Amino acid sequence: MSDGLPQVLSQQLWREQFRGLINAKRKEAMVDVSAWRKIETAIASLSVHGTVAASQHSLLGGAEDCFWKQSVLPYTKNRIGRISDIFTDVPVTFHLTIQGQFEYLYEVVSRMPEGKGFPEPRITPSWAQLVHRIRTAAPRSRIVVWDFEHPEKVTLAFLISLLDTTDNKLIDALDKYLLNIPQPSKTLLSNHTITGISQSWIDKLDFQYERDLAEISCMKNVSLILPENVPEEFHR
């Protein structure tokens, strides 16, 4: 871990210099010499600071891309592969936070306009399969998967690991910040039902999550962090 203040890649820098190249189609990316030069300059500037953290929750796509595409988060291979190409000479760790598939489906449904029909999901997403695809696209990178079914137990530890810090002042500041964040209501989510979705399909989602955790825990070069693995002093 770094004993200095970590650097965080700003959203503005990500949008202006990284996102377009990472999201571009292969042919477009290959011929965009200007974009690659800007990326090289940005990386050279960032690397002198040591660890650099970047948080991009929609890097692989939106929650809806887990259920209605032909495969789960279909942009994964191209985008992770592009990141691997960009950071060829820099060690990269991918931190993947996951929750039960039901939570993702609920998020999609909760954002749909009132009165709009609910399409039948095409697939049951597998996070283990997703991790395998990330590992295939970036074989030299380390992958850490965080089980966020109980975020109050893992969020602080996740942030400390993401920022790669041992700075006690920063850790205390993160702790206070988390304590002041209102927790999202899970009243409806606790009912574990979605209108139009059968209970048997919801049960299938729950089973898939448990199966995914078991498979991920056995993967080589992949670390799985469960809530029960995090020391209680980091629980909030």
Side-chain angles (χ1 to χ4, degrees):
M1 284 192 175
S2 170
D3 56 3
L5 286 177
Q7 304 298 309
V8 178
L9 185 67
S10 71
Q11 294 291 326
Q12 181 179 353
L13 183 60
W14 175 269
R15 288 193 300 267
E16 292 178 352
Q17 298 190 22
F18 287 81
R19 186 173 64 183
L21 189 59
I22 289 171
N23 292 5
K25 294 180 180 179
R26 187 172 183 273
K27 289 183 179 180
E28 295 174 356
M30 288 179 65
V31 300
D32 196 342
V33 177
S34 176
W36 280 101
R37 285 177 177 170
K38 289 180 180 178
I39 283 285
E40 289 173 358
T41 301
I43 292 174
S45 176
L46 290 167
S47 62
V48 300
H49 299 293
T51 298
V52 178
S55 177
Q56 299 297 326
H57 70 278
S58 59
L59 170 65
L60 305 181
E64 62 277 4
D65 295 328
C66 295
F67 297 96
W68 291 287
K69 301 289 186 179
Q70 293 300 323
S71 62
V72 178
L73 297 169
Y75 313 112
T76 298
K77 180 180 177 181
N78 289 340
R79 294 183 182 179
I80 295 298
R82 189 70 44 71
I83 289 176
S84 187
D85 292 339
I86 288 172
F87 294 98
T88 299
D89 299 322
V90 180
V92 174
T93 298
F94 289 101
H95 292 268
L96 181 68
T97 62
I98 61 173
Q99 287 181 297
Q101 282 83 340
F102 177 81
E103 279 83 355
Y104 285 81
L105 183 60
Y106 183 86
E107 179 185 341
V108 176
V109 174
S110 66
R111 290 191 278 108
M112 292 182 67
E114 187 175 353
K116 184 177 180 180
F118 183 75
E120 181 72 19
R122 292 183 179 182
I123 54 178
T124 300
S126 166
W127 306 147
Q129 186 182 89
L130 176 62
V131 173
H132 176 72
R133 289 161 61 199
I134 293 173
R135 189 175 60 176
T136 301
R140 298 185 304 274
S141 298
R142 181 182 174 224
I143 301 174
V144 182
V145 182
W146 297 80
D147 174 8
F148 257 66
E149 281 290 275
H150 298 283
E152 71 281 0
K153 295 182 179 181
V154 298
T155 302
L156 181 58
F158 162 71
L159 291 175
I160 292 171
S161 182
L162 178 66
L163 295 173
D164 190 30
T165 185
T166 56
D167 186 288
N168 289 327
K169 289 184 179 180
L170 177 57
I171 294 173
D172 288 341
L174 291 171
D175 190 12
K176 292 177 182 177
Y177 173 75
L178 293 175
L179 290 173
N180 290 326
I181 294 179
Q183 295 299 312
S185 173
K186 290 194 175 184
T187 303
L188 294 176
L189 189 59
S190 64
N191 293 332
H192 217 64
T193 59
I194 297 178
T195 302
I197 298 296
S198 67
Q199 185 60 48
S200 62
W201 203 78
I202 292 175
D203 291 341
K204 184 178 180 181
L205 293 181
D206 288 341
F207 174 77
Q208 184 63 53
Y209 189 66
E210 295 303 319
R211 180 178 178 181
D212 286 336
L213 291 178
E215 289 187 21
I216 293 170
S217 69
C218 297
M219 289 184 179
K220 294 182 179 179
N221 302 320
V222 175
S223 300
L224 174 63
I225 310 298
L226 301 170
E228 56 265 33
N229 297 149
V230 176
E232 288 190 8
E233 66 241 43
F234 296 107
H235 294 185
R236 297 298 176 264

